[in-house]
Amino acid sequence: MNTAVEKRKINPYLTHKAEILKIFKETEVEYTFRLESDFNLNFGQFLEVSIPGYGEAPISVSNFTDEWLELTIRKVGKLTDKIHELQEGDHLYLRGPYGNGFKLENYRDKNIIVAAGGTGLAPVRSLIEYANNNLDDFSDFEVLAGFKNAQSLLFERDIKRWRENFDVLLTVDQTCDIWGECVGLITEHIAELHLDNIENTEIIVVGPPPMMKYSIIEFQKLGVPDDQIWVSYERKMHCGLGKCGHCKIEDSYVCVDGPVYNYADVKEIKD
């Protein structure tokens, strides 16, 4: 067994020094960093990412293989500003992985609809990529992705590949020229869906809280039961270990019990 992996399993506080293999510029403020990795990951999990002297933050894993992982990081403060200054060959410090992800057994042989808003596409990107390479594992697969404007579009290179295998609807909040795509909030386009075989359909909703709230309402209007809707609550995570209490919502620690939940289990909790 790899010694570094064994140590991380024994002591979740230990960090792992990882080399940056490649950097992809997604937008002016969002870069994707590909790092060497021997982590045992699941879709939708996150890592604690740090640079000594600059701090630490929880970041969702946006894609992974057995040899590397990718983190899509927005430039929003001291730590992330410094990360955006790094080059290929530099290093980040990682600990984890943490959290409850999207377990494949919940979605296998089902009709899957992923509704993602903005950077909410990052936590589900690895699952979408898996579907792109393993379509036979699903009855159907569809993605709805909403962005503020064309300049905030993420993973354009991936979306072009995904569209070769399944439907990907892009919509922007503001009028603009973006591949001739839809304009308007993602909730407007959920309402236009005609769902067949609802009992074999699973819905995944990830994005800003208002987008998630009203997207779920639209799916409910279409007759989707609450226990067939899955959400990822991420915005309050901090330590990753359920120790700091920053992410506690009623009796649930999001970084431990989540960030992925079945909506039926959390629909009554008040954030």
Side-chain angles (χ1 to χ4, degrees):
M1 177 180 290
N2 182 286
T3 303
V5 174
E6 186 177 14
K7 286 182 178 178
R8 286 199 298 278
K9 286 183 178 179
I10 294 172
N11 188 342
Y13 293 91
L14 289 179
T15 58
H16 168 65
K17 185 178 180 181
E19 181 181 350
I20 298 172
L21 304 176
K22 198 167 185 178
I23 300 174
F24 303 90
K25 183 178 179 180
E26 307 290 353
T27 71
E28 290 300 317
V29 295
E30 287 147 333
Y31 291 2
T32 293
F33 296 81
R34 178 175 293 178
L35 299 105
E36 61 180 355
S37 168
D38 54 10
F39 286 100
N40 183 19
L41 291 159
N42 188 22
F43 314 118
Q45 288 187 301
F46 68 97
L47 297 170
E48 293 288 341
V49 182
S50 63
I51 298 177
Y54 289 87
E56 182 180 62
I59 305 291
S60 295
V61 177
S62 62
N63 202 6
F64 62 88
T65 68
D66 291 337
E67 298 179 348
W68 52 259
L69 61 82
E70 291 183 345
L71 304 170
T72 301
I73 300 175
R74 173 180 284 181
K75 185 178 181 182
V76 292
K78 180 180 178 182
L79 172 62
T80 53
D81 286 355
K82 183 61 178 178
I83 291 174
H84 274 235
E85 295 175 5
L86 299 178
Q87 304 294 322
E88 293 174 8
D90 290 336
H91 294 81
L92 285 171
Y93 291 83
L94 313 175
R95 63 178 174 90
Y98 300 113
N100 173 43
F102 297 100
K103 297 177 181 177
L104 188 58
E105 58 264 31
N106 293 322
Y107 312 108
R108 198 183 299 274
D109 299 323
K110 301 292 184 66
N111 302 320
I112 306 301
I113 298 176
V114 176
T119 55
L121 188 57
V124 290
R125 178 180 173 227
S126 60
L127 177 61
I128 298 171
E129 190 65 30
Y130 176 87
N132 190 60
N133 297 321
N134 300 272
L135 278 178
D136 291 343
D137 282 0
F138 306 91
S139 293
D140 192 29
F141 203 94
E142 184 175 357
V143 176
L144 288 73
F147 297 93
K148 183 177 181 181
N149 50 45
Q151 292 70 42
S152 62
L153 176 65
L154 295 174
F155 313 127
E156 181 175 0
R157 63 193 179 281
D158 298 321
I159 291 170
K160 290 179 178 178
R161 289 188 298 102
W162 297 342
R163 283 183 156 176
E164 296 176 4
N165 290 316
F166 49 77
D167 291 337
V168 179
L169 182 146
L170 294 179
T171 183
V172 292
D173 299 350
Q174 304 168 3
T175 302
C176 63
D177 181 16
I178 173 175
W179 299 352
E181 295 291 340
C182 303
V183 174
L185 299 176
I186 194 172
T187 49
E188 300 172 37
H189 301 286
I190 292 172
E192 297 169 358
L193 293 174
H194 298 285
L195 300 184
D196 298 322
N197 197 10
I198 287 179
E199 64 273 13
N200 196 48
T201 297
E202 300 288 332
I203 307 296
I204 295 172
V205 182
V206 187
M211 171 266 171
M212 295 177 67
K213 175 181 177 180
Y214 291 104
S215 293
I216 290 169
I217 290 173
E218 293 302 325
F219 281 116
Q220 290 172 325
K221 289 178 182 179
L222 295 176
V224 180
D226 291 342
D227 62 0
Q228 291 173 220
I229 299 174
W230 303 82
V231 295
S232 182
Y233 292 156
E234 298 184 325
R235 66 189 182 89
K236 289 188 173 184
M237 295 190 305
H238 188 63
C239 74
L241 294 158
K243 302 299 183 184
C244 70
H246 193 267
C247 70
K248 190 173 185 291
I249 305 176
E250 295 189 1
D251 293 331
S252 182
Y253 289 87
V254 176
C255 65
V256 176
D257 303 321
V260 176
Y261 293 93
N262 185 276
Y263 181 65
D265 295 332
V266 296
K267 63 181 181 179
E268 300 297 335
I269 68 173
K270 293 179 171 56
D271 185 352

